[in-house]
Amino acid sequence: MSEAQTPVTAAAAPLIAPLVVNGVSIDESFAEAFPMRATRLIVTAHNATWAMHAGAAATGFATSVIACGAEAGIERVLGPDETPDGRPGLALLIFAMSSKELAKQLERRVGQCVLTCPTTAVYAGLPMDASADTLPLGKNLRFFGDGWQISKMIDGVRYWRIPVMDGEFVAQETTPMLRAVGGGNLLFCCTGTDEALAVSEAAVAAMKAVPGVIMPFPGGVVRSGSKVGSKYPALGASTNDAYCPALIGLAKKTELTPEVRCVMEIVIDGLSEAAVAQAMRVGMQTAVDHGAARGVLRIAAGNYGGKLGPYLFHLRKIWHEGAPGAAGQGARA
């Protein structure tokens, strides 16, 4: 066959070089996140124990907006030098899909879990910018005082003092609301349960040091990652069968190789894109540090092809920007 007669074939798709660090493969993929509304609260109490009781209760049943209405968690423990009243405290982050839902969740959670907890008080944990959108805090809770409540202005900020059986409950009148980001995530594909739990626990501990983020699921870890839709019309979400090791060879599509026997997910909500990206970077570094020798085979991420949300956190971009010696530390993904 002459050169002129050589068949023309479609150009092959360009190959993407694998990225393997310390034996851990990092996918050429992205975590897909979506807009949320959020606020930060400071809860204080007579001692750290009672502050923790209030914080744990107020952020309970808040893993996913799919069924909980809010995603919430304890951001960090605060010392007396970091709180408005000089007492031990906590910073809490609460996220919801709309300002209306966030206001409802805030009133219920503070009213039922902080107001009720012995010795507590609650304050806004974000700067009171005059241009910021705000949500009611003590503004509505004050009515529990049945007319005995009184207000006090300090440096232009109103606080409410509500009489209760151990003295009084102090609540700042309002708290600022921010546009936030929910649904950043990492998937750790590992050789077994022990290995997956070890790396996930270490990653969550490291990520908690990043300001402005929470990992809202139990212990910060999700074992029941989901996909959009289901064979059952009543369900909007169902098990992510492509990442279920027990379905290798059974499901029509799998993202796993046979040596992966356990996958854990970490979901991140943050007050900004930069905060979510930084938390993902820290989590990825932890997984790479564990390495294949400790059972971590791959880092992946959950996404819906870019159809769920506008925030795309590309794993390799985040890794390269945060790797030692890499140029730039930009967090926008």
Side-chain angles (χ1 to χ4, degrees), residues 249-303:
L250 299 175
K252 290 183 178 179
K253 179 183 178 182
T254 182
E255 294 288 343
L256 304 179
T257 52
E259 60 267 27
V260 175
R261 301 310 306 160
C262 187
V263 180
M264 294 292 181
E265 181 178 10
I266 298 177
V267 172
I268 308 107
D269 295 336
L271 297 182
S272 67
E273 289 180 75
V276 172
Q278 176 63 11
M280 289 179 62
R281 184 176 296 117
V282 169
M284 292 172 69
Q285 184 66 61
T286 302
V288 165
D289 289 346
H290 273 237
R294 297 173 66 180
V296 184
L297 302 180
R298 178 179 157 213
I299 302 171
N303 66 71

Short mmCIF file of all heavy atoms in Angstrom, two decimals, residues 249-303:
data_model
loop_
_atom_site.label_atom_id
_atom_site.label_comp_id
_atom_site.label_asym_id
_atom_site.label_seq_id
_atom_site.Cartn_x
_atom_site.Cartn_y
_atom_site.Cartn_z
N GLY A 249 -16.48 -6.61 40.43
CA GLY A 249 -16.89 -7.77 39.65
C GLY A 249 -18.39 -7.96 39.59
O GLY A 249 -18.87 -8.79 38.81
N LEU A 250 -19.13 -7.20 40.40
CA LEU A 250 -20.59 -7.31 40.39
C LEU A 250 -21.25 -6.08 39.80
O LEU A 250 -22.17 -6.19 38.98
CB LEU A 250 -21.11 -7.54 41.82
CG LEU A 250 -20.62 -8.82 42.52
CD1 LEU A 250 -21.13 -8.85 43.96
CD2 LEU A 250 -21.11 -10.05 41.76
N ALA A 251 -20.80 -4.89 40.23
CA ALA A 251 -21.36 -3.66 39.70
C ALA A 251 -20.91 -3.46 38.25
O ALA A 251 -19.85 -3.95 37.84
CB ALA A 251 -20.93 -2.47 40.55
N LYS A 252 -21.74 -2.75 37.47
CA LYS A 252 -21.42 -2.51 36.08
C LYS A 252 -20.11 -1.73 35.94
O LYS A 252 -19.36 -1.90 34.98
CB LYS A 252 -22.55 -1.76 35.40
CG LYS A 252 -23.82 -2.60 35.20
CD LYS A 252 -24.88 -1.81 34.44
CE LYS A 252 -26.12 -2.64 34.21
NZ LYS A 252 -27.18 -1.89 33.49
N LYS A 253 -19.87 -0.82 36.89
CA LYS A 253 -18.67 0.00 36.82
C LYS A 253 -18.02 0.05 38.20
O LYS A 253 -18.70 0.22 39.21
CB LYS A 253 -19.03 1.42 36.38
CG LYS A 253 -17.83 2.35 36.31
CD LYS A 253 -18.26 3.78 35.93
CE LYS A 253 -17.06 4.71 35.90
NZ LYS A 253 -17.45 6.11 35.59
N THR A 254 -16.73 -0.15 38.23
CA THR A 254 -15.99 0.02 39.48
C THR A 254 -14.80 0.93 39.25
O THR A 254 -14.22 0.94 38.16
CB THR A 254 -15.51 -1.34 40.05
OG1 THR A 254 -14.85 -1.11 41.30
CG2 THR A 254 -14.55 -2.02 39.09
N GLU A 255 -14.46 1.71 40.25
CA GLU A 255 -13.28 2.57 40.20
C GLU A 255 -12.11 1.95 40.96
O GLU A 255 -11.07 2.59 41.12
CB GLU A 255 -13.61 3.94 40.79
CG GLU A 255 -14.63 4.75 40.00
CD GLU A 255 -14.08 5.29 38.70
OE1 GLU A 255 -12.84 5.30 38.56
OE2 GLU A 255 -14.88 5.67 37.83
N LEU A 256 -12.28 0.72 41.41
CA LEU A 256 -11.31 0.10 42.30
C LEU A 256 -10.59 -1.07 41.65
O LEU A 256 -11.14 -1.73 40.76
CB LEU A 256 -12.00 -0.38 43.59
CG LEU A 256 -12.79 0.67 44.37
CD1 LEU A 256 -13.43 0.03 45.59
CD2 LEU A 256 -11.91 1.84 44.76
N THR A 257 -9.39 -1.33 42.10
CA THR A 257 -8.64 -2.52 41.74
C THR A 257 -8.77 -3.54 42.87
O THR A 257 -9.09 -3.17 44.01
CB THR A 257 -7.17 -2.18 41.49
OG1 THR A 257 -6.67 -1.44 42.62
CG2 THR A 257 -7.02 -1.33 40.24
N PRO A 258 -8.54 -4.82 42.60
CA PRO A 258 -8.80 -5.85 43.61
C PRO A 258 -8.06 -5.67 44.94
O PRO A 258 -8.55 -6.11 45.98
CB PRO A 258 -8.36 -7.14 42.90
CG PRO A 258 -8.55 -6.85 41.45
CD PRO A 258 -8.19 -5.40 41.29
N GLU A 259 -6.89 -5.04 44.89
CA GLU A 259 -6.14 -4.91 46.15
C GLU A 259 -6.74 -3.86 47.09
O GLU A 259 -6.37 -3.78 48.27
CB GLU A 259 -4.67 -4.57 45.86
CG GLU A 259 -4.44 -3.28 45.11
CD GLU A 259 -4.37 -3.47 43.61
OE1 GLU A 259 -4.98 -4.44 43.10
OE2 GLU A 259 -3.70 -2.64 42.95
N VAL A 260 -7.65 -3.02 46.60
CA VAL A 260 -8.34 -2.06 47.48
C VAL A 260 -9.49 -2.77 48.17
O VAL A 260 -10.44 -3.22 47.53
CB VAL A 260 -8.87 -0.86 46.66
CG1 VAL A 260 -9.69 0.06 47.56
CG2 VAL A 260 -7.72 -0.08 46.03
N ARG A 261 -9.40 -2.85 49.48
CA ARG A 261 -10.42 -3.55 50.25
C ARG A 261 -11.19 -2.64 51.19
O ARG A 261 -12.11 -3.06 51.88
CB ARG A 261 -9.81 -4.70 51.06
CG ARG A 261 -9.10 -5.74 50.23
CD ARG A 261 -9.94 -6.26 49.07
NE ARG A 261 -11.26 -6.77 49.49
CZ ARG A 261 -12.29 -6.92 48.68
NH1 ARG A 261 -12.19 -6.55 47.41
NH2 ARG A 261 -13.43 -7.40 49.14
N CYS A 262 -10.84 -1.35 51.24
CA CYS A 262 -11.56 -0.40 52.10
C CYS A 262 -11.33 1.02 51.59
O CYS A 262 -10.20 1.38 51.27
CB CYS A 262 -11.08 -0.52 53.55
SG CYS A 262 -12.04 0.47 54.72
N VAL A 263 -12.42 1.78 51.51
CA VAL A 263 -12.34 3.18 51.09
C VAL A 263 -13.02 4.04 52.14
O VAL A 263 -14.13 3.73 52.59
CB VAL A 263 -13.04 3.41 49.72
CG1 VAL A 263 -12.95 4.88 49.32
CG2 VAL A 263 -12.42 2.52 48.65
N MET A 264 -12.34 5.09 52.57
CA MET A 264 -12.91 6.06 53.50
C MET A 264 -12.90 7.44 52.85
O MET A 264 -11.96 7.79 52.12
CB MET A 264 -12.13 6.10 54.81
CG MET A 264 -12.19 4.84 55.64
SD MET A 264 -13.83 4.51 56.31
CE MET A 264 -13.48 2.98 57.22
N GLU A 265 -13.93 8.23 53.16
CA GLU A 265 -14.05 9.57 52.62
C GLU A 265 -14.00 10.60 53.74
O GLU A 265 -14.52 10.35 54.83
CB GLU A 265 -15.37 9.71 51.86
CG GLU A 265 -15.58 11.08 51.23
CD GLU A 265 -16.88 11.18 50.44
OE1 GLU A 265 -17.71 10.27 50.53
OE2 GLU A 265 -17.05 12.20 49.73
N ILE A 266 -13.36 11.71 53.47
CA ILE A 266 -13.40 12.85 54.39
C ILE A 266 -14.06 14.00 53.64
O ILE A 266 -13.61 14.39 52.56
CB ILE A 266 -11.99 13.26 54.85
CG1 ILE A 266 -11.33 12.11 55.62
CG2 ILE A 266 -12.06 14.51 55.73
CD1 ILE A 266 -9.92 12.39 56.05
N VAL A 267 -15.13 14.54 54.20
CA VAL A 267 -15.84 15.67 53.62
C VAL A 267 -15.47 16.94 54.39
O VAL A 267 -15.42 16.92 55.63
CB VAL A 267 -17.36 15.44 53.65
CG1 VAL A 267 -18.12 16.70 53.23
CG2 VAL A 267 -17.74 14.27 52.76
N ILE A 268 -15.23 18.02 53.66
CA ILE A 268 -14.79 19.28 54.28
C ILE A 268 -15.75 20.40 53.92
O ILE A 268 -16.07 20.59 52.74
CB ILE A 268 -13.38 19.67 53.80
CG1 ILE A 268 -12.38 18.53 53.99
CG2 ILE A 268 -12.89 20.92 54.51
CD1 ILE A 268 -11.98 17.86 52.69
N ASP A 269 -16.21 21.13 54.92
CA ASP A 269 -16.94 22.39 54.73
C ASP A 269 -16.05 23.51 55.21
O ASP A 269 -15.40 23.39 56.26
CB ASP A 269 -18.24 22.41 55.53
CG ASP A 269 -19.24 21.37 55.05
OD1 ASP A 269 -19.16 20.95 53.88
OD2 ASP A 269 -20.11 20.98 55.85
N GLY A 270 -16.04 24.62 54.48
CA GLY A 270 -15.16 25.72 54.88
C GLY A 270 -15.77 27.08 54.67
O GLY A 270 -16.70 27.26 53.87
N LEU A 271 -15.24 28.06 55.38
CA LEU A 271 -15.71 29.43 55.24
C LEU A 271 -15.21 30.09 53.96
O LEU A 271 -15.65 31.18 53.62
CB LEU A 271 -15.27 30.26 56.46
CG LEU A 271 -15.83 29.81 57.81
CD1 LEU A 271 -15.35 30.74 58.92
CD2 LEU A 271 -17.36 29.75 57.79
N SER A 272 -14.29 29.42 53.25
CA SER A 272 -13.78 29.96 51.99
C SER A 272 -13.23 28.84 51.14
O SER A 272 -12.94 27.74 51.65
CB SER A 272 -12.67 30.99 52.25
OG SER A 272 -11.53 30.36 52.80
N GLU A 273 -13.06 29.10 49.84
CA GLU A 273 -12.41 28.14 48.95
C GLU A 273 -10.99 27.84 49.44
O GLU A 273 -10.52 26.70 49.42
CB GLU A 273 -12.34 28.69 47.54
CG GLU A 273 -13.66 28.75 46.80
CD GLU A 273 -13.47 29.32 45.41
OE1 GLU A 273 -12.96 28.60 44.52
OE2 GLU A 273 -13.82 30.50 45.20
N ALA A 274 -10.29 28.89 49.85
CA ALA A 274 -8.91 28.73 50.28
C ALA A 274 -8.80 27.80 51.48
O ALA A 274 -7.90 26.96 51.56
CB ALA A 274 -8.31 30.09 50.62
N ALA A 275 -9.75 27.91 52.41
CA ALA A 275 -9.71 27.06 53.60
C ALA A 275 -9.95 25.61 53.23
O ALA A 275 -9.28 24.70 53.75
CB ALA A 275 -10.75 27.54 54.61
N VAL A 276 -10.90 25.35 52.33
CA VAL A 276 -11.18 23.98 51.91
C VAL A 276 -9.97 23.39 51.19
O VAL A 276 -9.57 22.25 51.44
CB VAL A 276 -12.44 23.93 51.02
CG1 VAL A 276 -12.62 22.52 50.42
CG2 VAL A 276 -13.68 24.32 51.82
N ALA A 277 -9.38 24.16 50.29
CA ALA A 277 -8.22 23.68 49.55
C ALA A 277 -7.05 23.38 50.48
O ALA A 277 -6.36 22.37 50.32
CB ALA A 277 -7.81 24.71 48.51
N GLN A 278 -6.84 24.24 51.48
CA GLN A 278 -5.75 24.01 52.41
C GLN A 278 -5.98 22.74 53.24
O GLN A 278 -5.05 21.95 53.46
CB GLN A 278 -5.59 25.22 53.34
CG GLN A 278 -4.53 25.05 54.42
CD GLN A 278 -3.11 24.87 53.88
OE1 GLN A 278 -2.87 25.05 52.68
NE2 GLN A 278 -2.18 24.50 54.73
N ALA A 279 -7.23 22.51 53.66
CA ALA A 279 -7.53 21.30 54.41
C ALA A 279 -7.31 20.06 53.55
O ALA A 279 -6.76 19.05 54.02
CB ALA A 279 -8.96 21.35 54.92
N MET A 280 -7.72 20.12 52.29
CA MET A 280 -7.49 18.98 51.39
C MET A 280 -6.00 18.74 51.20
O MET A 280 -5.53 17.59 51.19
CB MET A 280 -8.17 19.24 50.05
CG MET A 280 -9.69 19.17 50.10
SD MET A 280 -10.49 19.52 48.50
CE MET A 280 -9.84 18.17 47.49
N ARG A 281 -5.24 19.81 51.07
CA ARG A 281 -3.80 19.69 50.90
C ARG A 281 -3.16 18.99 52.11
O ARG A 281 -2.33 18.09 51.96
CB ARG A 281 -3.19 21.08 50.71
CG ARG A 281 -1.71 21.10 50.43
CD ARG A 281 -1.22 22.52 50.17
NE ARG A 281 -1.85 23.07 48.97
CZ ARG A 281 -2.66 24.12 48.96
NH1 ARG A 281 -2.94 24.76 50.09
NH2 ARG A 281 -3.18 24.55 47.83
N VAL A 282 -3.58 19.39 53.30
CA VAL A 282 -3.05 18.79 54.52
C VAL A 282 -3.43 17.31 54.60
O VAL A 282 -2.62 16.45 54.98
CB VAL A 282 -3.57 19.56 55.75
CG1 VAL A 282 -3.28 18.81 57.03
CG2 VAL A 282 -2.95 20.96 55.80
N GLY A 283 -4.68 16.99 54.23
CA GLY A 283 -5.11 15.60 54.24
C GLY A 283 -4.35 14.75 53.25
O GLY A 283 -3.96 13.60 53.54
N MET A 284 -4.11 15.29 52.06
CA MET A 284 -3.34 14.56 51.05
C MET A 284 -1.91 14.32 51.52
O MET A 284 -1.35 13.24 51.33
CB MET A 284 -3.35 15.34 49.74
CG MET A 284 -4.71 15.39 49.07
SD MET A 284 -4.73 16.50 47.63
CE MET A 284 -3.69 15.59 46.50
N GLN A 285 -1.31 15.32 52.15
CA GLN A 285 0.05 15.16 52.64
C GLN A 285 0.13 14.06 53.69
O GLN A 285 1.07 13.26 53.71
CB GLN A 285 0.55 16.48 53.22
CG GLN A 285 2.00 16.44 53.68
CD GLN A 285 2.97 16.26 52.53
OE1 GLN A 285 3.04 17.07 51.63
NE2 GLN A 285 3.74 15.16 52.55
N THR A 286 -0.87 14.01 54.55
CA THR A 286 -0.91 12.96 55.57
C THR A 286 -0.98 11.58 54.94
O THR A 286 -0.28 10.65 55.35
CB THR A 286 -2.11 13.17 56.50
OG1 THR A 286 -2.03 14.47 57.10
CG2 THR A 286 -2.15 12.11 57.60
N ALA A 287 -1.83 11.44 53.91
CA ALA A 287 -1.97 10.15 53.24
C ALA A 287 -0.67 9.75 52.55
O ALA A 287 -0.25 8.58 52.61
CB ALA A 287 -3.10 10.21 52.23
N VAL A 288 -0.03 10.70 51.90
CA VAL A 288 1.24 10.40 51.23
C VAL A 288 2.31 10.04 52.25
O VAL A 288 3.13 9.13 52.03
CB VAL A 288 1.67 11.60 50.37
CG1 VAL A 288 3.13 11.48 49.95
CG2 VAL A 288 0.77 11.71 49.14
N ASP A 289 2.33 10.71 53.38
CA ASP A 289 3.29 10.39 54.43
C ASP A 289 3.09 8.96 54.94
O ASP A 289 4.07 8.27 55.26
CB ASP A 289 3.17 11.37 55.59
CG ASP A 289 3.69 12.76 55.24
OD1 ASP A 289 4.38 12.89 54.21
OD2 ASP A 289 3.39 13.72 55.99
N HIS A 290 1.85 8.52 55.05
CA HIS A 290 1.60 7.12 55.44
C HIS A 290 2.13 6.18 54.38
O HIS A 290 2.78 5.19 54.69
CB HIS A 290 0.10 6.91 55.65
CG HIS A 290 -0.36 7.23 57.03
ND1 HIS A 290 -1.01 6.34 57.83
CD2 HIS A 290 -0.24 8.36 57.76
CE1 HIS A 290 -1.29 6.90 58.99
NE2 HIS A 290 -0.84 8.14 58.97
N GLY A 291 1.84 6.45 53.13
CA GLY A 291 2.42 5.72 52.02
C GLY A 291 1.85 4.32 51.81
O GLY A 291 1.10 3.79 52.61
N ALA A 292 2.28 3.74 50.70
CA ALA A 292 1.83 2.39 50.35
C ALA A 292 2.30 1.36 51.37
O ALA A 292 1.63 0.35 51.59
CB ALA A 292 2.34 2.03 48.96
N ALA A 293 3.43 1.61 52.02
CA ALA A 293 3.93 0.67 53.03
C ALA A 293 2.96 0.52 54.19
O ALA A 293 2.97 -0.51 54.88
CB ALA A 293 5.30 1.13 53.53
N ARG A 294 2.11 1.53 54.42
CA ARG A 294 1.11 1.47 55.49
C ARG A 294 -0.29 1.31 54.92
O ARG A 294 -1.27 1.62 55.58
CB ARG A 294 1.23 2.70 56.38
CG ARG A 294 2.59 2.79 57.09
CD ARG A 294 2.78 4.09 57.84
NE ARG A 294 1.86 4.22 58.97
CZ ARG A 294 1.83 5.28 59.78
NH1 ARG A 294 2.66 6.29 59.56
NH2 ARG A 294 1.00 5.33 60.79
N GLY A 295 -0.36 0.83 53.70
CA GLY A 295 -1.65 0.42 53.16
C GLY A 295 -2.44 1.46 52.41
O GLY A 295 -3.58 1.21 52.00
N VAL A 296 -1.87 2.65 52.19
CA VAL A 296 -2.58 3.69 51.42
C VAL A 296 -2.15 3.56 49.96
O VAL A 296 -0.99 3.79 49.64
CB VAL A 296 -2.28 5.10 51.96
CG1 VAL A 296 -3.10 6.13 51.20
CG2 VAL A 296 -2.56 5.18 53.45
N LEU A 297 -3.08 3.22 49.09
CA LEU A 297 -2.75 2.97 47.70
C LEU A 297 -3.07 4.13 46.78
O LEU A 297 -2.37 4.34 45.78
CB LEU A 297 -3.50 1.72 47.21
CG LEU A 297 -3.23 0.42 47.99
CD1 LEU A 297 -4.04 -0.72 47.39
CD2 LEU A 297 -1.74 0.09 48.00
N ARG A 298 -4.10 4.89 47.13
CA ARG A 298 -4.59 5.88 46.16
C ARG A 298 -5.39 6.96 46.85
O ARG A 298 -6.09 6.70 47.83
CB ARG A 298 -5.45 5.15 45.14
CG ARG A 298 -6.10 5.98 44.07
CD ARG A 298 -6.90 5.08 43.14
NE ARG A 298 -7.95 5.80 42.44
CZ ARG A 298 -9.12 5.29 42.10
NH1 ARG A 298 -9.40 4.03 42.41
NH2 ARG A 298 -10.01 6.01 41.46
N ILE A 299 -5.29 8.19 46.32
CA ILE A 299 -6.13 9.30 46.74
C ILE A 299 -7.03 9.68 45.58
O ILE A 299 -6.55 9.99 44.48
CB ILE A 299 -5.30 10.52 47.17
CG1 ILE A 299 -4.33 10.16 48.31
CG2 ILE A 299 -6.21 11.67 47.59
CD1 ILE A 299 -3.34 11.26 48.64
N ALA A 300 -8.34 9.63 45.82
CA ALA A 300 -9.32 10.00 44.79
C ALA A 300 -10.24 11.06 45.37
O ALA A 300 -10.04 11.54 46.49
CB ALA A 300 -10.10 8.76 44.34
N ALA A 301 -11.25 11.43 44.60
CA ALA A 301 -12.21 12.44 45.06
C ALA A 301 -13.56 12.17 44.42
O ALA A 301 -13.65 11.58 43.34
CB ALA A 301 -11.73 13.85 44.71
N GLY A 302 -14.60 12.62 45.10
CA GLY A 302 -15.95 12.43 44.60
C GLY A 302 -16.42 13.65 43.83
O GLY A 302 -16.28 14.79 44.28
N ASN A 303 -16.96 13.41 42.63
CA ASN A 303 -17.53 14.50 41.86
C ASN A 303 -18.65 13.98 40.97
O ASN A 303 -18.84 12.77 40.84
CB ASN A 303 -16.46 15.23 41.03
CG ASN A 303 -15.87 14.35 39.96
OD1 ASN A 303 -16.52 14.02 38.97
ND2 ASN A 303 -14.61 13.93 40.15
#
